[in-house]
Amino acid sequence: MEGNAIFQVENVTKSYGGIHALNHVSAIFGEGLTAIIGDNGAGKSTFMKILSGVTKPDDGKFFLKGQPVHITSPVEARRLGIESLYQDLALADTLNVYANMFLGRELVRRIAGVPLLDERRMARLAAETLEQVRINIPSVHTMVRNLSGGQRQAVALARAIHFNASVLLLDEPTAALGPKETDSFNRIIMGLVQGGKTVIMVTHNIPQMMDMANRVIIMRAGNIVAEVRPQDVTQEDVMAFMVGSRTLITD
Amino acid sequence: MVRLKDLRPTATLAESKFSLLQSPYFISNIRILGILVLLVIGFGVLAPGFISVASLQSILVSTALFLLLALGETFVIISGGIDLSIGSMLAMSGMVSGVFMSRYYNNGSGTTIALLGLIIALVVGLIGGMLNGVVIAKLRLNPLIVTLGTMGIFEGIAELISNGLPISNFPPFLFVLGNGGWGIPWLLWFTIAAVLFYGLLLAKTRFGRYIYAYGASKDAVVRAGVNTTIHATWLYGLAGLAAGLAGYLSAAHFETASPVAGSQYLLIAVAAAVIGGTTLQGGEGTIWGTVIGALIISVLQNGFVMIGLASFWQLVAVGVMVIVAVFFNELQRRTRIASAGRTADYKAQRKPFGRAG
Ligand SMILES: Nc1ncnc2c1ncn2[C@@H]1O[C@H](COP(=O)(O)OP(=O)(O)OP(=O)(O)O)[C@@H](O)[C@H]1O
Ligand SMILES: [Mg+2]
C-alpha cells in the first residue's frame, strides 16, 4: 500500500434476497489508480454504487482521510468529495456542456434579490476546466447530445474535476467507447492520477490495467480475493484469481 | 507514459459572449417568427382591414386566454410530461372565484370583492395543479393518466358548485378588468406579466433549468440532488396557477363563469407549445416559442374569418401546423441520430409522457 489511506471501507455487506452481492468487503484506497476487476456478477458495480451513495449497504463502515463518514446519498457523496461516473452517465442531453457540468450546483447572481443563473460565469469556468485537463470539446455551448460518447464521458469527468473531487469512482467508463476515445479518456485519467487524485476504476480490460493501475483488486462472488501490484504478477495470475483457480491473497 | 502537452486544448475562453446567439433555440424561434410575419402580411394583403390597430388588438385579446394555459403546458411538456387538466382547471377556478364574487357582491364597484376573487382563482389553480404534481411524482404515475383523471374531476367540481349553470352577477370592477384597459386592455397587461414571469422562470432560474434537465434525463436530475417531488409539485402547480389566472380573466372578459369554459383551449394550448418548438419527448422548448406559436394560431383563426373562409378551415390549418411542426422536430431528431449513429441519442427515442416520479 503506497501513500496514505484516503478512502477506507470496512465490512461492506449487501445481499439481494438470497444473493450475497457483497460479503464483508474491506479495502483501503490511497492516491493513484486502483483497478477493480472480476467476472460478471462478482459484485463490482454493487460495490461502486455503495461507495457513491446510490445503493444502501446492509452493513459497513466508511472512512475518508481517517474520519468516519456516512455516505447516505449521491448528493452526500459529492459533498464529501466523492464523484462518480456512471455507465449511463446521467447527462441531460438537451442541455449544453456547462449546464450539465453545473447541474444541481448552478452559479447564480442576484438581480434585485432574485437569484438568476450566471450563465457567463458557468460557461467561463467550464471552459477553463476543460482547458486545464485538455479535454477536447468544440464549445461549452454545445448541446450534450451532439457530442460523441468520449466527449460525453469527458464532460462527466470535467464535472468531477471542476468540483475538486478527491475520490473518483468509475464503473467501466470506457465500455461504450472506441479504441481512440478510450485512449484519450485514459490519458485524462492518468493526468488526474499524476495530480494526486484517488481513482477507483472497474474494468474488464486486464492488459490495460496492468499498464495503468497502481493496484489491482480482484473480486469474485462478492468477495475481494486478491489485491496485487501489477508489477508483481502476470496477467495469467490475475485471470487465475478471477476464476478461482487461485485464492491466495497477496499484497 | 502520457505527456499532457501532447494533447491540444480546444475549449476556448472567448466564447462566453453572445449568449442569445448561442441559445439552441435562436434559429428555430427566428424561423417561426418568420412564419408569423408571413401570415400577417399574407392576410394583410388578402383582407385590407386585417392590419389595423383594432384587428391586431382583437387578435392579441383572443390569444391571451389560451396563451396563459400554454405557458404552464410548455413547462410541463418540457419536463417530459403533459397536463390535460388545465382546461377544466380554468373552468373550476373561474367557477369557484365566480361563485364567491356573485355571492358577496352587493353594490358599488366591488373592487375588493373582485381582487379577492382573483386571489381565490389563483389559489384554486395553484392547489389543483400541485395536487396533480404530488400524485404524479409521489405515486410515480403517468402524467397523461393522472391529468386525464383530474380533467374530469375538476370539471365535475365546476359543475357541482353551480349545478351545471353558468353564473354572472359580478362586481362591475371585474368587467373593467376584463374589457377595459390602460393604453392596451388589462387582459393583455396580465398576460404580458405572466409571459415575463414564466419566461424568466424557465430561462433564467435553477427551477427552469431542472425542468429541461428532467425532461432530458430524470437520473441526471436525481443524481444532481434535486428533490424531484418538490420540483414536480411546483411545476404542475405553476401550470395550474396560469390556468387559474386564465379562469378569472375568462370570467372577467366574457362576464360569465361557466363550467365548460376553457374546454376548447386545452388542445390549442398544446398546439401553441408544439408549433413554438416544444417537443413532446421533453427537454426542449421556450416560452418565446410558445408565444409565437399562440400568435400564429390566433392569426390563422382571425385571418380566416376576415377573408371569409368557413371557420372549420381554421381548425384544419391549425391541425396541419401542428403536424408539420412535429414532423420537422422528428426530421431533425432522425438526422441527428443518422449523422451520428451514436449511443448518445438513445434517450431521445423514449416515448413521450414517460414522466413518473
Ligand atoms: N438491484 C439488484 N437486485 C437484485 N440483484 C442484484 C441487484 N444488483 C445486483 N444484483 C446481483 O448482485 C450480484 C452482483 O452484481 P454486480 O452488478 O455488482 O456485478 P458486477 O461485478 O458489476 O458484474 P458485471 O461485470 O457484469 O458488471 C449479481 O448476482 C447481480 O445479479
Ligand atoms: Mg457491473
Side-chain angles (χ1 to χ4, degrees):
Chain A
M1 171 81 252
E2 50 254 76
N4 320 331
I6 301 292
F7 191 25
Q8 185 178 351
V9 299
E10 266 175 24
N11 245 329
V12 177
T13 303
K14 177 80 191 176
S15 3
Y16 291 105
I19 302 167
H20 297 289
L22 284 181
N23 267 325
H24 305 283
V25 168
S26 299
I28 297 175
F29 303 100
E31 278 182 8
L33 175 61
T34 304
I36 298 182
I37 60 176
D39 229 335
N40 295 112
K44 307 181 295 294
S45 294
T46 306
F47 193 30
M48 298 299 269
K49 281 182 191 158
I50 288 172
L51 297 185
S52 63
V54 171
T55 300
K56 278 208 169 53
D58 301 334
D59 196 12
K61 289 201 180 78
F62 304 87
F63 303 88
L64 207 59
K65 293 172 186 140
Q67 297 301 311
V69 290
H70 296 278
I71 308 174
T72 47
S73 69
V75 181
E76 181 60 16
R78 276 189 178 181
R79 209 185 55 74
L80 294 166
I82 304 169
E83 290 272 349
S84 14
L85 244 68
Y86 306 92
Q87 182 57 58
D88 60 7
L89 289 178
L91 295 177
D93 277 340
T94 58
L95 292 183
N96 65 28
V97 170
Y98 71 79
N100 269 286
M101 276 180 63
F102 284 89
L103 193 62
R105 294 180 277 203
E106 287 80 4
L107 302 177
V108 292
R109 67 203 157 113
R110 290 183 178 273
I111 294 176
V114 185
L116 299 181
L117 293 171
D118 194 345
E119 309 276 359
R120 274 195 191 183
R121 204 156 133 246
M122 287 191 279
R124 186 167 51 76
L125 291 175
E128 273 171 22
T129 302
L130 293 170
E131 195 163 1
Q132 225 174 51
V133 289
R134 325 250 155 174
I135 289 173
N136 189 340
I137 282 171
S139 155
V140 293
H141 295 276
T142 315
M143 260 197 206
V144 158
R145 69 169 170 212
N146 296 327
L147 298 179
S148 72
Q151 288 171 325
R152 292 163 60 82
Q153 283 285 14
V155 170
L157 202 54
R159 174 166 60 192
I161 296 163
H162 177 79
F163 289 98
N164 208 12
S166 53
V167 178
L168 213 57
L169 305 173
L170 312 169
D171 190 354
E172 302 195 42
T174 56
L177 304 187
K180 261 180 82 179
E181 289 189 317
T182 301
D183 211 51
S184 64
F185 182 86
N186 285 340
R187 287 185 196 204
I188 298 168
I189 295 295
M190 289 315 287
L192 293 177
V193 167
Q194 282 165 13
K197 296 253 188 263
T198 298
V199 182
I200 306 172
M201 171 142 84
V202 171
T203 175
H204 283 285
N205 193 333
I206 298 172
Q208 204 176 63
M209 283 308 114
M210 299 301 275
D211 261 3
M212 285 172 64
N214 303 90
R215 264 187 343 138
V216 177
I217 287 179
I218 301 146
M219 292 185 66
R220 177 158 41 82
N223 295 291
I224 291 182
V225 292
E227 223 183 284
V228 298
R229 293 192 307 173
Q231 60 266 39
D232 297 340
V233 291
T234 63
Q235 279 188 47
E236 287 69 34
D237 294 333
V238 171
M239 294 290 282
F241 282 124
M242 267 177 67
V243 298
S245 56
R246 273 174 78 174
T247 50
L248 178 74
I249 298 188
T250 62
D251 196 337
Chain B
M1 198 66 257
V2 180
R3 283 171 312 181
L4 283 182
K5 63 177 185 290
D6 293 347
L7 298 158
R8 194 169 44 93
T10 50
T12 55
L13 301 181
E15 60 192 357
S16 49
K17 292 164 196 156
F18 310 121
S19 62
L20 179 68
L21 291 172
Q22 272 147 352
S23 159
Y25 305 104
F26 184 71
I27 303 283
S28 70
N29 280 349
I30 290 290
R31 195 164 48 213
I32 51 170
L33 187 63
I35 294 175
L36 176 63
V37 170
L38 285 181
L39 284 174
V40 171
I41 293 172
F43 282 120
V45 170
L46 293 173
F50 186 80
I51 304 183
S52 67
V53 172
S55 143
L56 293 181
Q57 184 161 307
S58 94
I59 287 175
L60 292 176
V61 167
S62 67
T63 313
L65 293 179
F66 76 87
L67 174 56
L68 286 173
L69 293 190
L71 297 177
E73 193 68 90
T74 303
F75 274 28
V76 172
I77 296 178
I78 293 175
S79 84
I82 187 103
D83 189 342
L84 300 182
S85 73
I86 49 175
S88 329
M89 185 79 86
L90 183 157
M92 179 174 74
S93 43
M95 278 314 276
V96 173
S97 159
V99 165
F100 166 82
M101 288 187 290
S102 70
R103 179 161 309 161
Y104 290 99
Y105 170 65
N106 303 318
N107 49 39
S109 73
T111 313
T112 314
I113 295 291
L115 291 179
L116 282 176
L118 172 61
I119 292 168
I120 288 175
L122 293 178
V123 168
V124 169
L126 181 65
I127 290 177
M130 288 174 107
L131 283 177
N132 276 334
V134 167
V135 172
I136 289 165
K138 264 274 178 236
L139 306 182
R140 295 166 188 250
L141 295 177
N142 187 313
L144 183 79
I145 305 300
V146 172
T147 57
L148 187 66
T150 52
M151 174 170 97
I153 294 171
F154 296 154
E155 193 184 322
I157 292 173
E159 304 252 8
L160 208 71
I161 56 177
S162 72
N163 294 320
L165 299 171
I167 42 174
S168 37
N169 181 32
F170 296 144
F173 184 71
L174 189 68
F175 306 141
V176 176
L177 283 185
N179 298 288
W182 183 63
I184 58 170
W186 288 116
L187 204 62
L188 296 185
W189 284 116
F190 275 107
T191 309
I192 290 167
V195 165
L196 291 177
F197 176 71
Y198 281 80
L200 202 69
L201 207 55
L202 183 62
K204 299 283 178 213
T205 68
R206 284 185 167 163
F207 180 84
R209 174 107 342 142
Y210 302 150
I211 296 178
Y212 287 101
Y214 197 107
S217 162
K218 188 198 166 212
D219 279 351
V221 182
V222 171
R223 288 177 195 171
V226 178
N227 184 327
T228 52
T229 304
I230 291 177
H231 189 259
T233 305
W234 280 109
L235 173 67
Y236 284 85
L238 285 165
L241 182 75
L245 178 59
Y248 180 78
L249 293 177
S250 163
H253 185 64
F254 297 112
E255 313 194 351
T256 173
S258 145
V260 293
S263 52
Q264 78 279 21
Y265 289 149
L266 169 66
L267 287 179
I268 39 178
V270 174
V274 170
I275 292 172
T278 302
T279 59
L280 293 173
Q281 283 84 16
E284 288 176 283
T286 57
I287 288 297
W288 317 120
T290 297
V291 171
I292 302 169
L295 288 172
I296 287 178
I297 292 174
S298 281
V299 164
L300 283 174
Q301 287 177 338
N302 288 270
F304 276 32
V305 171
M306 286 193 72
I307 60 175
L309 275 177
S311 67
F312 65 82
W313 279 112
Q314 145 246 296
L315 291 174
V316 174
V318 171
V320 169
M321 288 286 306
V322 168
I323 293 171
V324 168
V326 171
F327 174 73
F328 273 112
N329 278 332
E330 187 60 22
L331 209 63
Q332 276 177 356
R333 195 170 66 80
R334 284 186 203 159
T335 349
R336 210 163 47 230
I337 293 170
S339 71
R342 58 179 159 256
T343 51
D345 260 309
Y346 75 97
K347 275 185 188 146
Q349 295 167 21
R350 292 170 312 148
K351 295 252 170 12
F353 317 135
R355 177 174 187 141

